Amino acid sequence: MAKVSINIATGSVQKEEIIVGIDLGTTNSLVAFINPEGNPQVINDMGKGILVPSIVHFHPDGSVIVGNEAKEYLISDPQNTIFSVKRLLGRSFNDIENHKDLFSYKIIDDDTESLVKIKVGDKFYTPIELSGMILKELKDRAEHALKTSVNRAVITVPAYFNDSQRQATRDAGKLAGLDVLRIVNEPTAASLAYGIGLNPNEEKIIAVYDLGGGTFDVSILKIQNGIFEVLSTNGNTFLGGDDFDQAIVNYWMGQNNLVGMIHESSLHQSSLQQALRLKAEEAKKALSTQNIFNGFVGEIPCAITRIKFEELISDKVQQTITCCKNALQDAGLTIQDIQEVVMVGGSTRTPLVKQQVSEFFQKPVHDQINPDEVVALGAAIQSDILAGNRTDILLLDVTPLSLGIETMGGLMEIIIPRNSKIPTKAGKQYTTSIDGQVNMKIAVYQGERDLVKENRKLAEFDLKGIPPMPAGFPKVDINFLLNADGILTVQAVELRSGIKQEVEVKPTYGLTDNEVEKMLMDSIQNAKEDVSQRMLIEARTEGEQMVYTAERFIEKNKEYFSTPEITNTLKLIETLKTTLTSGNKDQILRRIDELNEFTRPFAERLMDQAISTAMKGKAIE
Ligand code: ADP
Ligand code: MG
C-alpha cells in the first residue's frame, strides 16, 4: 500500500526524508533519529542537552519558553509555568478532580466530561496546544542540529493511554507541524531499542519496567511475528523519582530541625523547599554511583548515605514490585514465563530499583542503554521501519488513510488511524443528544482532515428504532472491522435494546496512489488551521450546550433565586450566545467560564435545598 512522504516546504514527494522518533514524557521529552551509519542516536542541539524538561513558561511579554529555561520559572512564576501536561492530555476534569492540588496553575473546572483546559492570564490553552509547544521545541532542535527540515515523526505514549489520549497526542503533533506517522507504545519502543522483536521469527514474552519522574508503569508484552501485543499493564500514575527527592527533603528537614522553622514566611518556605528539592535530586543522582553525598543549601548541611537513602525509599520500590506481581497475574503468567526484562525511565538508574526488579524477576535486567533515552531511540527505529529502510523487517500492510465517523459540528472522529496494521478492529461508544431521539445517523469518512466535509465519504446509514429515552441514555457502540483484504465493516448496535445495523465498504476502491498522496498533502498543509477550527467548533458546541442547560436550569428553579441573580444569569447567557458566532475560541471559553463561576453557587444551594426538603419529608413521616 501507499507510503508517502511529503516535504512541507517544497510540497514535493520525497523518498529520503528524515523521520524522527519522539519520547513525549511527563517530566522530560527528547528526540532521536537514525544516523547515516544506520544507528539510532539522540539529538543534542548545541549542547542544550538531550533531555528537554516538559515545561512551558508563558512570559509576560507574550513569548513562550520550553525546557530547562522554563523550569527556572517553576519557583518564581508558578501560575504561568505549566508542567506535567501529559497527565492532562485527553482527560476531562472529572478524571483529574482528585489530583488537582498537584498543579500550581489554573485548570478550568467546568464539572463536565469535556476535555480540560488551562488558564494562563486571560487565555485558555488545551493540553493539546501545550504538548504541541513542547513538540515544536523538539522539532526546532532536531532541525537545528540536523540542518534539515523535519516534518515526520513517530511519537510514543504509555501503553495504558486510551483512544482519546492517543488522538490528543496526534493532534499535538499536528499543531507542531509534524506529520505523525504512528503513535507507538513506550514499552514497544524500548524493546525495539534493545533489538527485541526485530526478528520476525522471534516469539517472546517480556516485561518492561518504567519508573520516570512522577509515574510508574510496568507492561507485559507478547511478541510474535513482529507484532507487539500488550498482555497487561499495571502501575501508579503518582509514583516516581519525585517521591525519592521528597523523601530526602523530609529527611534533611528532620536532621536540621527545619520542620517548625519553615512556617515563618510562606514565600521563603516555598523557595527554601524548592532549593532543598533540587539539592535532593542532585544527591539522589550522585547516590546512583557513589555511597555518600555531602552538600549545602545556604548554611544548611545536606548529607546522606546510600544506605540511608535506600532505607527511605524502600517502601516505594516495594510498591512497584507489587505492581509487577499484579501485572503478571492479570496476564495469567508466572515469573518463569518472562524471558526478558527491560528497564526504562531515569529513576531506574537508582541501584536499589535495578536490584529489586532483577531479584523479583530472577534474572539480569536490560540496563545497557540510557534508561531516559531508550524510548526515543526505539521510536527512531520504529520510524526507520515505517520508512521501509529495514529490508530485513517485513512491513505489514497498513491503512493509507484514517477511517472515522462524523460527530457534532461536522467534525471527523477517527476510529482507525492511518498507518494501522491490517487486519484491525476498533470501536467507540456514542449516545444521543436529544430527548426521545429514535434514529441516529452514522456517516463514515476517510481522510486526515478535521472537518468531514474535506474528507471522502464512504457510507451513510441510519440506526433506526432506538427506543425513546432521555438524551445521553442510549449506548450506541460503533465498531469498525478492517479485514486483511481491506474491506471495512461498520456496525452500530444500541446496547440497551440490541438493535443493530451494518454496512460494508472498500475504502481503497477507486482511489489511486496519487489521490492518496494528494489527500495526505492537503491534510499536512492545512493541519494547523484544521486543528484550530476544530477547537473552535468544540468550544462552540460546549457553549451551545451550556446555554441550553443554563436556560433550562433557571426556568425550572426560578423560585429559589433572587431577581438580580436571575437577571444576571440571563445577561451572562446572552453574552455567551452572542460570542458563539464570533469565531473567537478564547472568548467563548472565557464566557463559558464566567457563566459557570456565577451559577456554581446556585447549583450548590439547590443541592442543600433538596437535602433539607428531603429531611423535612422524613421528619413529617
Ligand atoms: P518521564 O518519563 O517521567 O518524563 P524520565 O524517564 O526522564 O521521566 O525520568 C526522570 C526521573 O529520573 C527524575 O525523577 C530524575 O530525577 C530521575 N533520574 C535522572 N537521572 C537519575 C540518576 N542518575 N539516578 C537516579 N534518578 C535519576
Ligand atoms: Mg518516560
Side-chain angles (χ1 to χ4, degrees), residues 429-432 436-437 440 463-478 492-500:
Q429 197 168 80
Y430 297 88
T431 188
T432 51
Q437 187 176 335
M440 194 179 214
L463 180 63
K464 287 193 184 128
I466 304 173
M469 283 181 255
F473 259 68
K475 287 186 182 163
V476 178
D477 264 0
I478 297 188
V493 199
E494 201 288 305
L495 297 181
R496 293 182 193 269
S497 57
I499 57 151
K500 197 193 266 186

Side-chain angles (χ1 to χ4, degrees), residues 95-206:
D95 292 335
I96 57 146
E97 172 109 59
N98 297 333
H99 298 292
K100 59 174 187 265
D101 298 342
L102 285 165
F103 303 93
S104 58
Y105 43 88
K106 185 159 166 51
I107 297 171
I108 302 303
D109 167 11
D110 56 3
D111 211 12
T112 65
E113 283 305 320
S114 55
L115 298 181
V116 297
K117 288 172 280 288
I118 292 146
K119 194 173 177 189
V120 182
D122 64 352
K123 285 203 113 187
F124 292 81
Y125 295 96
T126 62
I128 297 176
E129 291 170 289
L130 296 163
S131 303
M133 291 170 189
I134 297 170
L135 290 171
K136 181 74 174 47
E137 173 73 20
L138 295 171
K139 175 182 185 314
D140 289 348
R141 288 192 187 194
E143 289 181 337
H144 194 244
L146 301 175
K147 300 190 176 38
T148 171
S149 70
V150 171
N151 303 311
R152 302 193 295 163
V154 165
I155 305 179
T156 60
V157 297
Y160 57 80
F161 256 28
N162 64 25
D163 277 347
S164 118
Q165 292 170 300
R166 285 166 198 264
Q167 185 56 41
T169 307
R170 274 182 188 277
D171 287 346
K174 276 196 199 176
L175 279 182
L178 287 168
D179 178 15
V180 181
L181 293 192
R182 193 178 282 176
I183 298 288
V184 180
N185 286 334
E186 288 163 12
T188 300
S191 159
L192 286 175
Y194 277 104
I196 306 169
L198 283 179
N199 178 349
N201 302 321
E202 194 174 7
E203 253 193 70
K204 253 186 190 156
I205 295 179
I206 68 164

Side-chain angles (χ1 to χ4, degrees), residues 23 25-29 51 54 210-215 240-242 245 281 284-286 288 344-350 371-372:
D23 173 2
T26 311
T27 318
N28 296 304
S29 298
L51 300 181
S54 307
D210 183 346
L211 189 60
T215 60
D242 297 346
D245 304 345
E281 189 182 8
K284 172 185 77 177
K285 288 182 179 171
S288 290
V344 180
S347 299
T348 61
R349 285 202 157 105
T350 294
D372 28 28

Side-chain angles (χ1 to χ4, degrees), residues 48-75:
K48 277 188 188 165
I50 291 162
L51 300 181
V52 180
S54 307
I55 302 175
V56 180
H57 172 68
F58 293 88
H59 210 64
D61 70 10
S63 59
V64 177
I65 311 169
V66 175
N68 268 315
E69 287 171 58
K71 195 173 180 178
E72 290 167 20
Y73 290 96
L74 273 182
I75 314 172

Side-chain angles (χ1 to χ4, degrees), residues 31 50 56 65 76 118 121 139 193 298 373 390 464 476 487 509 518-519 537 539 593 610 619:
V31 47
I50 291 162
V56 180
I65 311 169
S76 59
I118 292 146
K139 175 182 185 314
E373 297 174 4
R390 297 191 169 225
K464 287 193 184 128
V476 178
I487 308 281
Y509 185 76
K518 177 158 182 346
M519 286 174 81
I537 293 177
D593 193 37

